[in-house]
Amino acid sequence: MSLNLPFPHRHLLGIAPLTAPEILFLLDEAERWVALNRAAAVKHDDSLAGLTQINAFFENSTRTLLSFEIAGKRLGADVVNMAVAQSSVKKGETLIDTAVTLDAMHADMLVIRHQASGAVQLIADKVDCPVLNAGDGQHEHPTQALLDALTIRRRKGRIERLVIAICGDIMHSRVARSDIISLQKLGAHVRIVGPSTLIPPHIEALGVEIFHDLDKAIAGADVVMMLRLQTERMAGGFIPSLREYHALFGLTVEKLKLAAEDVLVMHPGPLNRGVEIDSAVADDLKYSAITEQVEMGVAMRMACLDVLTRQRRGVKGWA
Ligand code: ASP
């Protein structure tokens, strides 16, 4: 693939391999799908007509799976969801064998979510078509970071120099990792905050400022991003109790007053109301961009599917 292309990557496996101009290129591409998605009736483009998109989600998902499915369908692709619970994976098939099987069906795009960090890369190495990482273990969730950047840029007009506080279970969150990498590349100042048990070691190497006090972390922040406690990835007791966690790290209307007056509140979902965020904050449309994040997710994923298949579709300048 020519290195002169604005997006010279075969796959979208993470934010780490991308440059700031490549990230901005994807955000710009997504902008044009926002209007199509808002059309009153027909929301369809046939850019991907005739192409087969397989969504293979080895881990549960609501919004990401639906979002990728809608994105593919709006672009005219034939979208198939692999039902992992009923698949040969449950009969002991290895990940590599599953990958080879999907490849033999001549998929044109594979969208993969897997509970193991690195599993999506393993599949990408074995197949012939573009692979999009829809979340792998605690590693990366690149389309979430892209849709978050798009939401922030649309609401704030820029990302550079914004103070962005990412709060909660940083340790188990692939969203936090991808967001930190992307927002730093785009020039934001990123603070992270959580109990010390939920802050990964050596995270300062990513250039973030670390806090253990929510009030201090959100003081003057332009964006406050709350994260769910990822209990499914916790082997032991990382927090004393949910009540205590909420008292110390839950976002309430009172605490939000410490942030910038025009603060934007974000959350990748699913929300645990009353734990990391109160309903009064999550549902206040003056601050909350949570549903807008979901909306931008579809446009962002349309952009990713479109850009990654341009070469195989022979799009002028990409083939
Ligand atoms: N939906 C996001 C993810 O898949 C965040 C979460 O589950 O809390 O990582």
Side-chain angles (χ1 to χ4, degrees), residues 233-249:
R233 295 188 220 289
M234 294 185 191
F238 283 82
I239 53 161
S241 72
L242 289 183
R243 236 177 83 166
E244 186 170 331
Y245 182 81
H246 176 260
L248 293 174
F249 295 100

PDB file of all heavy atoms in Angstrom, residues 233-249:
ATOM      1  N   ARG A 233     -13.456  -8.110  34.014  1.00  0.00           N
ATOM      2  CA  ARG A 233     -12.007  -8.268  33.870  1.00  0.00           C
ATOM      3  C   ARG A 233     -11.281  -8.206  35.218  1.00  0.00           C
ATOM      4  O   ARG A 233     -10.074  -8.124  35.269  1.00  0.00           O
ATOM      5  CB  ARG A 233     -11.440  -7.173  32.957  1.00  0.00           C
ATOM      6  CG  ARG A 233     -11.925  -7.260  31.541  1.00  0.00           C
ATOM      7  CD  ARG A 233     -11.215  -6.288  30.624  1.00  0.00           C
ATOM      8  NE  ARG A 233     -12.149  -5.699  29.682  1.00  0.00           N
ATOM      9  CZ  ARG A 233     -12.705  -6.352  28.672  1.00  0.00           C
ATOM     10  NH1 ARG A 233     -12.385  -7.613  28.461  1.00  0.00           N
ATOM     11  NH2 ARG A 233     -13.565  -5.761  27.878  1.00  0.00           N
ATOM     12  N   MET A 234     -12.061  -8.175  36.304  1.00  0.00           N
ATOM     13  CA  MET A 234     -11.436  -8.068  37.622  1.00  0.00           C
ATOM     14  C   MET A 234     -11.400  -9.437  38.288  1.00  0.00           C
ATOM     15  O   MET A 234     -12.435 -10.057  38.486  1.00  0.00           O
ATOM     16  CB  MET A 234     -12.242  -7.112  38.515  1.00  0.00           C
ATOM     17  CG  MET A 234     -12.226  -5.679  38.053  1.00  0.00           C
ATOM     18  SD  MET A 234     -13.088  -4.640  39.241  1.00  0.00           S
ATOM     19  CE  MET A 234     -13.212  -3.120  38.302  1.00  0.00           C
ATOM     20  N   ALA A 235     -10.200  -9.877  38.642  1.00  0.00           N
ATOM     21  CA  ALA A 235     -10.101 -11.193  39.268  1.00  0.00           C
ATOM     22  C   ALA A 235     -10.299 -11.092  40.784  1.00  0.00           C
ATOM     23  O   ALA A 235     -10.828 -11.994  41.399  1.00  0.00           O
ATOM     24  CB  ALA A 235      -8.752 -11.812  38.948  1.00  0.00           C
ATOM     25  N   GLY A 236      -9.919  -9.992  41.388  1.00  0.00           N
ATOM     26  CA  GLY A 236     -10.025  -9.895  42.852  1.00  0.00           C
ATOM     27  C   GLY A 236     -10.780  -8.662  43.277  1.00  0.00           C
ATOM     28  O   GLY A 236     -11.521  -8.075  42.502  1.00  0.00           O
ATOM     29  N   GLY A 237     -10.579  -8.238  44.509  1.00  0.00           N
ATOM     30  CA  GLY A 237     -11.267  -7.051  45.026  1.00  0.00           C
ATOM     31  C   GLY A 237     -10.473  -5.790  44.722  1.00  0.00           C
ATOM     32  O   GLY A 237      -9.501  -5.481  45.403  1.00  0.00           O
ATOM     33  N   PHE A 238     -10.873  -5.060  43.716  1.00  0.00           N
ATOM     34  CA  PHE A 238     -10.160  -3.830  43.359  1.00  0.00           C
ATOM     35  C   PHE A 238     -10.719  -2.612  44.099  1.00  0.00           C
ATOM     36  O   PHE A 238     -10.069  -1.601  44.212  1.00  0.00           O
ATOM     37  CB  PHE A 238     -10.239  -3.592  41.843  1.00  0.00           C
ATOM     38  CG  PHE A 238      -9.296  -4.471  41.055  1.00  0.00           C
ATOM     39  CD1 PHE A 238      -9.644  -5.776  40.743  1.00  0.00           C
ATOM     40  CD2 PHE A 238      -8.056  -3.999  40.651  1.00  0.00           C
ATOM     41  CE1 PHE A 238      -8.781  -6.593  40.044  1.00  0.00           C
ATOM     42  CE2 PHE A 238      -7.190  -4.805  39.941  1.00  0.00           C
ATOM     43  CZ  PHE A 238      -7.547  -6.109  39.636  1.00  0.00           C
ATOM     44  N   ILE A 239     -11.981  -2.731  44.555  1.00  0.00           N
ATOM     45  CA  ILE A 239     -12.573  -1.618  45.304  1.00  0.00           C
ATOM     46  C   ILE A 239     -13.282  -2.189  46.541  1.00  0.00           C
ATOM     47  O   ILE A 239     -13.790  -3.319  46.493  1.00  0.00           O
ATOM     48  CB  ILE A 239     -13.601  -0.836  44.448  1.00  0.00           C
ATOM     49  CG1 ILE A 239     -14.653  -1.779  43.838  1.00  0.00           C
ATOM     50  CG2 ILE A 239     -12.918  -0.017  43.362  1.00  0.00           C
ATOM     51  CD1 ILE A 239     -15.905  -1.067  43.380  1.00  0.00           C
ATOM     52  N   PRO A 240     -13.310  -1.422  47.630  1.00  0.00           N
ATOM     53  CA  PRO A 240     -13.941  -1.931  48.855  1.00  0.00           C
ATOM     54  C   PRO A 240     -15.431  -2.201  48.662  1.00  0.00           C
ATOM     55  O   PRO A 240     -15.932  -3.251  49.034  1.00  0.00           O
ATOM     56  CB  PRO A 240     -13.706  -0.813  49.871  1.00  0.00           C
ATOM     57  CG  PRO A 240     -12.680   0.103  49.282  1.00  0.00           C
ATOM     58  CD  PRO A 240     -12.717  -0.087  47.801  1.00  0.00           C
ATOM     59  N   SER A 241     -16.171  -1.238  48.082  1.00  0.00           N
ATOM     60  CA  SER A 241     -17.609  -1.447  47.842  1.00  0.00           C
ATOM     61  C   SER A 241     -18.074  -0.440  46.801  1.00  0.00           C
ATOM     62  O   SER A 241     -17.446   0.611  46.608  1.00  0.00           O
ATOM     63  CB  SER A 241     -18.412  -1.249  49.132  1.00  0.00           C
ATOM     64  OG  SER A 241     -18.442   0.133  49.447  1.00  0.00           O
ATOM     65  N   LEU A 242     -19.186  -0.745  46.146  1.00  0.00           N
ATOM     66  CA  LEU A 242     -19.712   0.165  45.123  1.00  0.00           C
ATOM     67  C   LEU A 242     -20.126   1.491  45.752  1.00  0.00           C
ATOM     68  O   LEU A 242     -19.975   2.550  45.156  1.00  0.00           O
ATOM     69  CB  LEU A 242     -20.917  -0.464  44.410  1.00  0.00           C
ATOM     70  CG  LEU A 242     -20.609  -1.640  43.476  1.00  0.00           C
ATOM     71  CD1 LEU A 242     -21.875  -2.115  42.787  1.00  0.00           C
ATOM     72  CD2 LEU A 242     -19.556  -1.264  42.429  1.00  0.00           C
ATOM     73  N   ARG A 243     -20.646   1.423  47.003  1.00  0.00           N
ATOM     74  CA  ARG A 243     -21.067   2.645  47.690  1.00  0.00           C
ATOM     75  C   ARG A 243     -19.902   3.586  47.925  1.00  0.00           C
ATOM     76  O   ARG A 243     -19.968   4.773  47.668  1.00  0.00           O
ATOM     77  CB  ARG A 243     -21.714   2.267  49.027  1.00  0.00           C
ATOM     78  CG  ARG A 243     -23.123   2.832  49.122  1.00  0.00           C
ATOM     79  CD  ARG A 243     -23.754   2.394  50.369  1.00  0.00           C
ATOM     80  NE  ARG A 243     -23.319   3.299  51.444  1.00  0.00           N
ATOM     81  CZ  ARG A 243     -23.908   3.338  52.605  1.00  0.00           C
ATOM     82  NH1 ARG A 243     -24.918   2.538  52.847  1.00  0.00           N
ATOM     83  NH2 ARG A 243     -23.504   4.165  53.534  1.00  0.00           N
ATOM     84  N   GLU A 244     -18.806   2.992  48.374  1.00  0.00           N
ATOM     85  CA  GLU A 244     -17.635   3.814  48.648  1.00  0.00           C
ATOM     86  C   GLU A 244     -17.053   4.347  47.333  1.00  0.00           C
ATOM     87  O   GLU A 244     -16.624   5.491  47.247  1.00  0.00           O
ATOM     88  CB  GLU A 244     -16.598   2.986  49.399  1.00  0.00           C
ATOM     89  CG  GLU A 244     -15.433   3.838  49.838  1.00  0.00           C
ATOM     90  CD  GLU A 244     -14.497   3.105  50.788  1.00  0.00           C
ATOM     91  OE1 GLU A 244     -14.967   2.210  51.522  1.00  0.00           O
ATOM     92  OE2 GLU A 244     -13.297   3.437  50.776  1.00  0.00           O
ATOM     93  N   TYR A 245     -17.079   3.486  46.315  1.00  0.00           N
ATOM     94  CA  TYR A 245     -16.561   3.919  45.003  1.00  0.00           C
ATOM     95  C   TYR A 245     -17.363   5.122  44.504  1.00  0.00           C
ATOM     96  O   TYR A 245     -16.806   6.114  44.050  1.00  0.00           O
ATOM     97  CB  TYR A 245     -16.635   2.761  43.991  1.00  0.00           C
ATOM     98  CG  TYR A 245     -16.054   3.152  42.647  1.00  0.00           C
ATOM     99  CD1 TYR A 245     -14.683   3.125  42.430  1.00  0.00           C
ATOM    100  CD2 TYR A 245     -16.885   3.592  41.610  1.00  0.00           C
ATOM    101  CE1 TYR A 245     -14.142   3.521  41.208  1.00  0.00           C
ATOM    102  CE2 TYR A 245     -16.357   3.991  40.391  1.00  0.00           C
ATOM    103  CZ  TYR A 245     -14.983   3.938  40.196  1.00  0.00           C
ATOM    104  OH  TYR A 245     -14.456   4.349  38.992  1.00  0.00           O
ATOM    105  N   HIS A 246     -18.676   5.026  44.621  1.00  0.00           N
ATOM    106  CA  HIS A 246     -19.519   6.136  44.169  1.00  0.00           C
ATOM    107  C   HIS A 246     -19.228   7.414  44.974  1.00  0.00           C
ATOM    108  O   HIS A 246     -19.132   8.510  44.419  1.00  0.00           O
ATOM    109  CB  HIS A 246     -21.003   5.773  44.275  1.00  0.00           C
ATOM    110  CG  HIS A 246     -21.904   6.916  43.917  1.00  0.00           C
ATOM    111  ND1 HIS A 246     -22.509   7.709  44.864  1.00  0.00           N
ATOM    112  CD2 HIS A 246     -22.248   7.441  42.722  1.00  0.00           C
ATOM    113  CE1 HIS A 246     -23.206   8.663  44.263  1.00  0.00           C
ATOM    114  NE2 HIS A 246     -23.063   8.523  42.952  1.00  0.00           N
ATOM    115  N   ALA A 247     -19.052   7.248  46.287  1.00  0.00           N
ATOM    116  CA  ALA A 247     -18.786   8.421  47.132  1.00  0.00           C
ATOM    117  C   ALA A 247     -17.490   9.116  46.717  1.00  0.00           C
ATOM    118  O   ALA A 247     -17.407  10.345  46.705  1.00  0.00           O
ATOM    119  CB  ALA A 247     -18.732   7.999  48.591  1.00  0.00           C
ATOM    120  N   LEU A 248     -16.503   8.338  46.335  1.00  0.00           N
ATOM    121  CA  LEU A 248     -15.201   8.938  46.004  1.00  0.00           C
ATOM    122  C   LEU A 248     -15.039   9.278  44.528  1.00  0.00           C
ATOM    123  O   LEU A 248     -14.428  10.274  44.172  1.00  0.00           O
ATOM    124  CB  LEU A 248     -14.064   7.986  46.422  1.00  0.00           C
ATOM    125  CG  LEU A 248     -13.895   7.754  47.914  1.00  0.00           C
ATOM    126  CD1 LEU A 248     -12.837   6.682  48.172  1.00  0.00           C
ATOM    127  CD2 LEU A 248     -13.500   9.058  48.612  1.00  0.00           C
ATOM    128  N   PHE A 249     -15.570   8.416  43.652  1.00  0.00           N
ATOM    129  CA  PHE A 249     -15.278   8.567  42.223  1.00  0.00           C
ATOM    130  C   PHE A 249     -16.513   8.697  41.328  1.00  0.00           C
ATOM    131  O   PHE A 249     -16.399   8.737  40.115  1.00  0.00           O
ATOM    132  CB  PHE A 249     -14.399   7.393  41.733  1.00  0.00           C
ATOM    133  CG  PHE A 249     -13.046   7.398  42.380  1.00  0.00           C
ATOM    134  CD1 PHE A 249     -12.756   6.560  43.446  1.00  0.00           C
ATOM    135  CD2 PHE A 249     -12.055   8.269  41.946  1.00  0.00           C
ATOM    136  CE1 PHE A 249     -11.522   6.587  44.065  1.00  0.00           C
ATOM    137  CE2 PHE A 249     -10.813   8.309  42.553  1.00  0.00           C
ATOM    138  CZ  PHE A 249     -10.543   7.462  43.617  1.00  0.00           C
TER     139      PHE A 249
END
